[in-house]
Amino acid sequence: MAIEEARQARHDIRHHFVRLSTLAEQGDIEKIKEYLSAATGKISDYNLHFCENQAVDSVFGYYSTIAERENIPFHALVSLPADLSIDEINLCLVFSNLLENAIQASVKTEPARRKINVEVYPHHNHLLLIHVENTFDGKIQQKNNIFQSSKHSGNGIGIESVRHITDKNGGACDFTYKDGIFSAKIMLRI
């Protein structure tokens, strides 16, 4: 629903600009002021904004757009402040790997089952809890407790990258799958 609202808002904004351009060409400043006043009251305050941290927000914005394009319902509750003590690059790598994997797995499932749910929130001021859940088609391969890539032969790189970052951080990660749902639970120290 949220993505549909954003699409509608972009559509409406284009029409507002056309109307304002016409009024500007006519040089009618009073009509422009009236129009802006009326339009401002109707503009939805919804946008593709997920959290206060700009780097993480842009990662979520990027992957939510891809999910929309692939017709995957994408629900994310991300509670992050603007400034974090954790390395932002590593944090963005964690999110990018998890969300890319979630999208790639969901695309392979039948459209009616597709979904990605994400929850990110601080816990006791020193931990960050991340939970990403997505549908998959039931074919997951592991070898020596390492997930195998669905794109090429050999180990999957994304989850191993998340494990590496989590280990370096002193955090923990757990990946489970059952009944067509893949679940990634990550705990990072912040």
Side-chain angles (χ1 to χ4, degrees):
M1 272 303 162
I3 289 172
E4 189 57 42
E5 285 178 35
R7 183 185 292 145
Q8 182 66 46
R10 282 193 303 272
H11 176 265
D12 292 349
I13 286 169
R14 273 197 304 277
H15 288 290
H16 290 310
F17 281 135
V18 167
R19 179 67 182 134
L20 288 169
S21 292
T22 303
L23 292 173
E25 283 174 24
Q26 295 168 354
D28 195 337
I29 298 298
E30 283 309 309
K31 283 252 196 253
I32 291 172
K33 287 179 182 175
E34 287 172 24
Y35 189 87
L36 285 172
S37 178
T40 302
K42 293 177 184 174
I43 292 174
S44 166
D45 63 352
Y46 182 82
N47 58 28
L48 287 177
H49 177 67
F50 293 92
C51 69
E52 298 307 312
N53 182 281
Q54 280 193 320
V56 172
D57 193 56
S58 65
V59 169
F60 273 88
Y62 174 76
Y63 284 103
S64 71
T65 301
I66 293 173
E68 174 191 14
R69 190 177 66 220
E70 297 293 342
N71 294 313
I72 303 168
F74 185 93
H75 304 283
L77 293 171
V78 185
S79 177
L80 278 180
D83 298 313
L84 296 166
S85 57
I86 189 171
D87 180 77
E88 232 173 46
I89 293 171
N90 283 337
L91 186 59
C92 287
L93 281 172
V94 166
F95 287 127
S96 294
N97 280 307
L98 293 173
L99 295 174
E100 185 166 302
N101 285 353
I103 286 172
Q104 288 172 347
S106 293
V107 163
K108 294 176 185 172
T109 63
E110 61 188 67
R113 285 190 54 243
R114 293 178 183 176
K115 72 174 180 183
I116 298 172
N117 293 325
V118 184
E119 277 188 279
V120 181
Y121 53 93
H123 183 67
H124 291 309
N125 294 328
H126 64 281
L127 295 175
L128 182 65
L129 302 181
I130 301 166
H131 185 199
V132 178
E133 209 176 63
N134 61 270
T135 51
F136 72 98
D137 67 0
K139 300 177 194 109
I140 291 182
Q141 296 177 353
Q142 276 185 288
K143 191 174 183 181
N144 300 325
N145 207 26
I146 296 174
F147 288 94
Q148 301 300 292
S149 175
S150 61
K151 298 178 283 280
H152 56 78
S153 65
N155 297 345
I157 298 167
I159 287 179
E160 288 311 303
S161 174
V162 171
R163 278 193 174 134
H164 177 72
I165 292 167
T166 304
D167 289 347
K168 271 182 24 183
N169 171 273
C173 57
D174 182 45
F175 302 97
T176 57
Y177 50 94
K178 185 179 179 184
D179 299 330
I181 301 290
F182 185 91
S183 176
K185 292 182 180 175
I186 315 294
M187 181 187 73
L188 295 170
R189 298 186 184 285
I190 55 173

